[in-house]
Amino acid sequence: MPIPIVKKNMMSKEENGAKNMMNGRVKVPNNTVDDTYGGYHLSYEVKKLMPTNKSTAQQKPSKLEVGIADDQAKDFDFAKTEMKYDSTGMFHWTPARSIEDCILDRNQAAMTVLNGHVVVCLFADPDSPLIGLRNLVMPLRASNFHYHELKHVVIVGAVDYIRREWKTLQNLPKISVLNGSPLSRADLRAVNVNLCDMCVILSAKVPSNDDPTLADKEAILASLNIKAMTFDDTIGVLNQSSNAPDAMSPLGSPIVLHRKGSVYGSNVPMITELVNDSNVQFLDQDDDDDPDTELYLTQPFACGTAFAVSVLDSLMSTTYFNQNALTLIRSLITGGATPELEIILAEGAGLRGGYSTPDTLSHRDRCRVGQISLSDGPLATFGEGRKYQDLFVASLRNYGMLCIGLYRLRDAALTTVDATSKRYVITNPPFDFGLLPTDQVYVLLPFERKQSRFSFSETEV
């Protein structure tokens, strides 16, 4: 019997290495075991992609139906787990879809119940440079939102251009494309722009060197066109319970009509991107600001209806002098990021699906931006003449919410003929700042795995 023992001890280094790898452990030169990166993690990532040698019918119910070691199968059951999030657990994910499956014509869009969605009006030529629509949609697909809270995104523009961007959008859920023009009122009515939670107007066209002031002409025209529209005030008054078994739209989303649509286009929530700061004067016809007023002092910027590229310079400067500001900026703008995700995106691999392991699911547990009304709900008592400090302390102590600003009506009393429903942002008000019942509060909400104590309509942004 000594011969088999000798043969076993004479196994090659390669065979020993392969055996150790299949056991999920890697030997290092000093005969110690490295359990950090090269150990279980590497073996696990490799073997979970390998198909099992057994057929499904031959496997026992207690065994895992993928080619993975039995000692790792006890962690979770892949057969009952869908890929709902990307490999980092930071964003919602869906299997790649063809753009043809997401294109709607005008009639299909009109028959689809769109409400509380995001409309992206995009001006672009087929050969325009890519602007990275993924960077706009990804924060709206952050995993700290529950799936039913994700707002449907409808892109209105030239499909030939969107097709070039589609590779970066194909794994993000709830996206539709309408091949049309943002200047067409028929297309805007088809996507229910008066029922949207936000209308974003962008341009990918290269501005002419002849006259830089004309760089924003199409975006400004689209904005003014929407403001001049009127809508039937009966649209959006339907009351249908989302718990009904047949309460599904043609796009597969629950039909939840939680607010009445805007009758006038001037009340449609809208933000327009500008290349030239001075063009902000053309966005508001009733704005009496001096044309030489700085961008951050103008009414469209204060009301959140205009965004200029120069704002990014300010953010960069803030981050340079205060590196801690980057954490807050990430939460507000990107929806969160990890070093692993940044490497994946920088290498051009795009989002790839991952199984919902306890480690990836833990990445959902991060704060998100919300908007709470003081007209009703748990915080309604603070709208009756209370001070901002009372709201700040009570929100943090009782609900774990951090108040960061107010969204106030420009005209506190909507009783005069020329009163408007426009709101403006007040960031970090003084502690003794008085509150009004019509105020809305910007807060950082903690992630909740169960039903939120606030209704969806209160926490939407």
Side-chain angles (χ1 to χ4, degrees), residues 111-136:
M111 294 174 61
T112 302
V113 180
L114 291 171
N115 182 277
H117 54 302
V118 176
V119 177
V120 179
C121 297
L122 179 62
F123 292 96
D125 296 322
D127 58 347
S128 295
L130 302 181
I131 59 174
L133 288 175
R134 178 179 65 185
N135 298 326
L136 173 66

Side-chain angles (χ1 to χ4, degrees), residues 31-42:
N31 292 327
T32 61
V33 179
D34 180 13
D35 285 334
T36 57
Y37 179 78
Y40 283 111
H41 179 72
L42 181 60

